[in-house]
Amino acid sequence: MRAWGIILAAGQGRRLAAATNGIAKQFLGWKGVPLYWHSARVFARCARIAGLVFVLPPDSDEHLRLEQLAEAEDPGIPLKVVAGGALRQDSVFAGLSALPMTCRDADHVLIHDAARPFVTPFLVNRVLDMLAEGHDGVIPGIPVTDTIKLVREDIVQSTPDRSLLRAVQTPQGFTTAVIRKAHERARKEGWEVTDDASLLERCGHAVRMVEGETGNCKLTRPEDLHMLYTAAPVVTPCTGFGYDVHRYVEAGEPDARPLHLGGILLERAPHVRAHSDGDVLLHALADALLGCCGQGDIGQLFPDTSADCDNLSSAIIVDEALQRTLRAGMEVVHADLTIIAEIPRIAPFRDEIRLNVARLLRLPTDRVGLKATTEEGMGFTGRKEGIRAVAVVTAIRSVPREQTD
Ligand code: MG
């Protein structure tokens, strides 16, 4: 047995075009190659498949990409390319015309829609096995789960017995001479059909059904596209919250540090008491980062009893917290920070602080929010005894979903 496969990739896919920016579905990229190439790989893996004909749209450059694909990943069997026609059956006819002419070289043919990229070698072999038993037409089908009604002008005519119905798939397999003759007759007599087995039926040939596969779906409507992306990673958002306060002290007091906010020195502002450099905003930010990955707080990482942390730059603290989120498989995507203080005025420094925080987080500035407020004279900030800051960080964690193939 020497069977050829015909991969039909000439359709316009109008129902899907809006969801794919006008790209015909069979040319959509999936796992790095166009959809039709997935079917080609499956066919090439079956020992009895001797060659493949690709039917492409007449006006496309896709044959150039196909050449590159075949060069990068030699399927080990001859490949041919032909231009399709207006109707599906015109495209099939073009594909049949491209087969080796002697039956010895292509005694059987499998016709497959490129929009069914989940076809398996098991299914291809099941169709080939039945052809090898001497059937002229073999098609895969699956039981229908919906009740089907025959309807004319919105009036139900009848309800066929569901147990007798099958939804038909591709690849459909044929004896080459028989399907050729059937297509020639269809052209002569002007028959229009939606699958190739119908032509055999009209010519009076028996068509044998084998079990199809429920996974062998056809991508037809925009909502079908999600089937391609079940192997996409599971993305989980994580939110971390941070809070910090520092007391204002006179310059020259023990542990008094000039006020830094977001790594920016605010001259003529009160000093803060701190073991590190006392950057209340970066401390809140670091705790929010650690909150995303559930790794405690900066007091645990940088204890204020440690001499190493004496006057430590808070940029180092933020960087360590950021590295921990990265090592935990997270990508920080946004930060929103608020400074709460009666004095000093934050507005003159706001842009500089925001820019520096974005730099420390390696984020574009528009992914960082920075606000400042007072507490209307109430509480310790209202009494100008200190400064408070809060931060919220959003990160995403991507976990690869189990591959489906
Ligand atoms: Mg602090």
Side-chain angles (χ1 to χ4, degrees):
M1 183 184 213
R2 288 179 67 80
W4 274 61
I6 295 177
I7 310 276
L8 294 172
Q12 301 293 310
R14 282 187 197 85
R15 277 167 292 195
L16 262 176
T20 60
N21 290 327
I23 302 172
K25 58 192 168 190
Q26 62 273 27
F27 302 141
L28 280 177
W30 181 45
K31 298 183 183 179
V33 294
L35 272 194
Y36 64 78
W37 191 251
H38 291 272
S39 299
R41 279 176 178 164
V42 169
F43 276 68
R45 234 185 276 165
C46 300
R48 286 171 289 183
I49 298 291
L52 287 175
V53 177
F54 293 85
V55 187
L56 299 176
D59 50 355
S60 90
D61 294 333
E62 194 63 29
H63 62 279
L64 299 174
R65 184 148 69 136
L66 187 58
E67 276 171 28
Q68 289 171 359
L69 286 166
E71 212 165 279
E73 186 188 326
D74 183 2
I77 50 174
L79 306 181
K80 293 186 174 195
V81 177
V82 289
L87 298 177
R88 183 186 183 281
Q89 70 192 72
D90 299 329
S91 294
V92 174
F93 187 77
L96 288 170
S97 308
L99 292 178
M101 285 315 284
T102 63
C103 281
R104 195 171 49 85
D105 292 327
D107 46 26
H108 290 87
V109 59
L110 262 54
I111 301 168
H112 182 64
D113 289 321
R116 292 188 190 269
F118 310 117
V119 62
T120 66
F122 302 106
L123 184 58
V124 173
N125 282 321
R126 201 176 305 144
V127 173
L128 289 171
D129 287 345
M130 200 55 79
L131 287 171
E133 285 186 19
H135 297 276
D136 283 327
V138 177
I139 63 174
I142 54 171
V144 294
T145 50
D146 292 328
T147 296
I148 307 289
K149 302 280 185 191
L150 193 69
V151 180
R152 190 165 288 132
E153 288 169 0
D154 292 339
I155 302 296
V156 173
Q157 308 293 310
S158 64
T159 306
D161 178 356
R162 193 169 69 178
S163 68
L164 298 176
L165 297 174
R166 297 290 180 274
V168 171
Q169 306 180 333
T170 68
Q172 300 193 346
F174 304 97
T175 307
T176 307
V178 171
I179 190 71
R180 260 197 190 129
K181 239 176 245 161
H183 267 276
E184 277 158 14
R185 186 165 165 201
R187 290 171 82 80
K188 216 175 291 165
E189 307 203 9
W191 295 344
E192 270 192 32
V193 293
T194 53
D195 81 331
D196 301 285
S198 309
L199 293 180
L200 257 70
E201 294 159 41
R202 288 180 83 155
C203 293
H205 292 280
V207 175
R208 179 68 155 82
M209 181 157 283
V210 293
E211 206 182 328
E213 292 177 349
T214 50
N216 182 28
C217 312
K218 186 174 184 180
L219 304 174
T220 306
R221 294 158 303 193
E223 58 267 33
D224 298 337
L225 291 177
H226 80 272
M227 289 190 279
L228 293 176
Y229 305 114
T230 51
V234 184
V235 175
T236 316
C238 310
T239 304
F241 176 75
Y243 173 84
D244 196 29
V245 300
H246 279 265
R247 179 187 289 276
Y248 285 151
V249 291
E250 292 296 327
E253 278 192 43
D255 290 329
R257 316 284 187 216
L259 183 64
H260 284 83
L261 290 175
I264 303 301
L265 173 68
L266 281 78
E267 281 169 355
R268 289 184 294 282
H271 281 44
V272 290
R273 179 177 295 160
H275 186 64
S276 67
D277 68 3
D279 191 323
V280 66
L281 188 64
L282 292 190
H283 292 180
L285 177 62
D287 266 351
L289 287 164
L290 293 171
C292 278
C293 54
Q295 297 205 11
D297 59 36
I298 59 174
Q300 290 169 267
L301 297 184
F302 301 96
D304 58 14
T305 50
S306 158
D308 290 347
C309 302
D310 189 23
N311 214 0
L312 177 71
S313 162
S314 296
I316 292 171
I317 298 175
V318 167
D319 196 57
E320 172 63 24
L322 182 63
Q323 295 309 319
R324 283 175 180 251
T325 60
L326 294 176
R327 285 199 296 271
M330 286 178 200
E331 183 195 355
V332 173
V333 294
H334 192 89
D336 188 19
L337 307 105
T338 302
I339 301 162
I340 301 128
E342 202 74 28
I343 52 164
R345 280 191 67 233
I346 306 300
F349 304 97
R350 188 202 299 253
D351 288 346
E352 202 182 348
I353 293 170
R354 182 172 173 231
L355 203 66
N356 198 47
V357 168
R359 186 184 65 82
L360 291 172
L361 292 175
R362 296 146 181 77
L363 283 178
T365 318
D366 62 0
R367 304 273 189 88
V368 174
L370 179 66
K371 304 185 290 294
T373 186
T374 70
E375 290 186 298
E376 307 266 350
M378 296 179 288
F380 76 85
T381 69
R383 293 189 299 273
K384 304 175 186 171
E385 292 169 5
I387 183 168
R388 191 201 307 268
V390 292
V392 175
V393 166
T394 307
I396 51 174
R397 188 204 303 263
S398 300
V399 180
R401 203 189 286 265
E402 215 179 305
Q403 295 292 311
T404 50
D405 64 351

